[in-house]
Amino acid sequence: MYNSKIIGLGKYVPENIVTNSDLEKLMDTSSDWIIERTGVEERRHVVKGDGNGTATMGVKAAKIALERASLKAQDIDFIVFATMSPDYYFPGSGVLAQELLDIPDCPALDIRMQCSGFVYAISTADQFIKTGMYKNILVIGSEYQTGGLDMSTRGRNISVIFGDGAGAVVMTRTENNQEGVLSSHLHTQGKHAEELSLIGPSTRRWVPEIITKNDPEDISYYPNMNGQFVFKHAVVRFTEVINEGLKKTGWSSDEIGLLIPHQANLRIAQFVQKKFGLSDDQVYNNIQRYGNTTAASIPIALTEAWEEGKVQPGTKVVLAAFGSGFTWGSVMIQW
Ligand code: ACO
């Protein structure tokens, strides 16, 4: 059995910065409200026609990760692509990334686990590397979600939070079982599926049905979120799943070099930080600048933390996420 480790990281965010003041012009909200409740100060939005899409942004991040890993795209044996905003209903964005990267016949798997998508993707890649089936795996988290948000006052509880962007990592095998991904922990609870969801169009709400009815009250094509319910579950599940990882690895919370929580809401991250008694240096947040980029949030944050020198050989890194599904998980990495 091998271990898997990350050898290259990259990120890409669209150039277009949307500040809270910009949103004040579109809906009844205020920068103070957004910062106090979520921590978000600005986010990036794709501008229609700027060439950015879920697959293209993912590939931009992937190319940086590949260069830093000193690998060519053709060295990749498998692509794992996490997104909840795929370019098409089908096929998945992973196959589009494979084509854009020009890796002939390379298998590509889409992961649809929303805010937990990247944690699930790393765990999946880890299993394929552990067994020896693949050596080099490209793991991408990318989201172009702002094009589908309700930017009126009606959708303000969601639209102020989310942003677009992508992050990617290259994983490879190591024979040193003391380094790399030491454990991963995944969970779901489908009974709360509709508390944070986008119901239609889907096989329960086919497009012709929506069009035929043409019901102005039907806004099932916009995401729906029961914010307080999600918040309450998030803080509990983040805590549980980090504890699960600490127990498995035998690490104490003092030993955590860097916790990278999925950037859902700064208040959730601060709650978790306090719960584990972590210092500001032990937790990485960048939701202030990017909002919640769903499956892209952890790889963007991990890349920035690495670029800032906060992740060094020997650092104990914890990735943790919670989101729609509900889904949640953690990954413990000895860098
Ligand atoms: N600007 C101004 N007022 C607003 C806004 C806004 N953008 N959004 C909602 N409000 C109003 C509401 O209408 C409500 O008004 P009322 O009291 O007159 O009815 C008031 O603010 C309070 O609304 P709440 O929903 O109770 O506000 P809360 O403090 O819960 O904050 C928030 C809302 C930020 C959404 C919070 O619940 C939250 O962060 N929840 C967790 C969401 C999350 O983490 N999602 C991540 C997972 S995402 C994923 O997996 C895809």
Side-chain angles (χ1 to χ4, degrees):
M1 288 275 268
Y2 299 101
N3 263 24
S4 70
K5 65 175 183 178
I6 293 172
I7 54 164
L9 309 93
K11 73 160 211 288
Y12 174 80
V13 290
E15 281 174 22
N16 178 37
I17 297 173
V18 176
T19 64
N20 292 345
S21 315
D22 294 330
L23 295 180
E24 285 173 359
K25 293 174 197 131
L26 298 173
M27 60 188 79
D28 180 12
T29 190
S30 71
S31 186
D32 288 348
W33 190 98
I34 300 170
I35 291 172
E36 191 196 317
R37 308 281 179 130
T38 71
V40 183
E41 293 165 29
E42 59 186 43
R43 71 289 289 145
R44 304 297 176 103
H45 282 194
V46 167
V47 178
K48 218 170 176 8
D50 72 0
N52 283 317
T54 301
T56 52
M57 289 193 293
V59 165
K60 286 178 190 176
K63 285 184 173 168
I64 298 168
L66 282 162
E67 196 185 330
R68 288 173 171 168
S70 303
L71 290 181
K72 298 189 298 298
Q74 291 69 27
D75 295 324
I76 294 297
D77 305 310
F78 188 40
I79 298 168
V80 184
F81 198 116
T83 186
M84 74 162 191
S85 51
D87 295 75
Y88 304 141
Y89 191 93
F90 69 87
S93 295
V95 303
L96 304 180
Q98 175 266 330
E99 173 64 11
L100 288 166
L101 286 163
D102 192 21
I103 321 174
D105 295 351
C106 175
L109 173 74
D110 271 41
I111 299 271
R112 292 201 40 193
M113 303 308 284
Q114 302 68 252
C115 293
S116 306
F118 195 75
V119 161
Y120 269 75
I122 290 279
S123 179
T124 303
D126 177 51
Q127 309 314 309
F128 279 104
I129 288 174
K130 270 202 171 82
T131 57
M133 181 158 174
Y134 297 122
K135 185 176 176 207
N136 299 320
I137 302 186
L138 176 61
V139 182
I140 300 173
S142 181
E143 304 283 4
Y144 169 22
Q145 36 200 11
T146 61
L149 297 179
D150 180 356
M151 300 304 287
S152 72
T153 298
R154 187 178 58 184
R156 65 184 178 176
N157 67 320
I158 292 182
S159 53
V160 300
I161 300 177
F162 289 95
D164 302 325
V169 300
V170 175
M171 296 174 71
T172 196
R173 72 168 59 144
T174 167
E175 288 180 19
N176 177 356
N177 64 10
Q178 306 296 314
E179 67 169 353
V181 175
L182 300 188
S183 71
S184 56
H185 311 272
L186 307 176
H187 300 277
T188 60
Q189 196 178 25
K191 74 175 172 185
H192 300 312
E194 295 195 2
E195 302 294 343
L196 179 48
S197 57
L198 197 160
I199 303 293
S202 63
T203 55
R204 291 202 189 173
R205 306 275 298 115
W206 287 110
V207 175
E209 187 189 325
I210 297 170
I211 293 172
T212 318
K213 286 193 180 148
N214 196 19
D215 175 1
E217 299 296 314
D218 180 0
I219 51 163
S220 60
Y221 46 83
Y222 283 131
N224 164 62
M225 177 171 75
N226 182 350
Q228 290 197 5
F229 189 81
V230 174
F231 194 102
K232 284 179 195 151
H233 283 255
V235 291
V236 173
R237 297 309 193 184
F238 264 109
T239 308
E240 280 177 8
V241 84
I242 293 168
N243 267 326
E244 202 179 335
L246 291 175
K247 197 168 166 205
K248 178 81 181 170
T249 52
W251 300 350
S252 69
S253 52
D254 291 352
E255 289 178 279
I256 296 175
L258 200 62
L259 166 65
I260 302 192
H262 160 56
Q263 301 291 289
N265 180 321
L266 190 60
R267 287 161 58 213
I268 294 175
Q270 287 166 341
F271 179 96
V272 174
Q273 175 175 347
K274 207 167 156 202
K275 191 93 189 161
F276 287 93
L278 303 176
S279 68
D280 289 349
D281 287 343
Q282 285 176 285
V283 185
Y284 195 86
N285 289 303
N286 60 8
I287 191 170
Q288 299 90 331
R289 286 177 284 128
Y290 303 124
N292 177 344
T293 56
T294 308
S297 95
I298 289 180
I300 291 173
L302 183 59
T303 300
E304 290 200 337
W306 178 83
E307 287 168 349
E308 291 168 25
K310 294 185 170 159
V311 180
Q312 299 282 347
T315 306
K316 290 177 167 45
V317 176
V318 179
L319 313 179
F322 175 88
S324 159
F326 290 152
T327 59
W328 62 101
S330 63
V331 178
M332 316 299 281
I333 305 173
Q334 178 69 55
W335 210 270

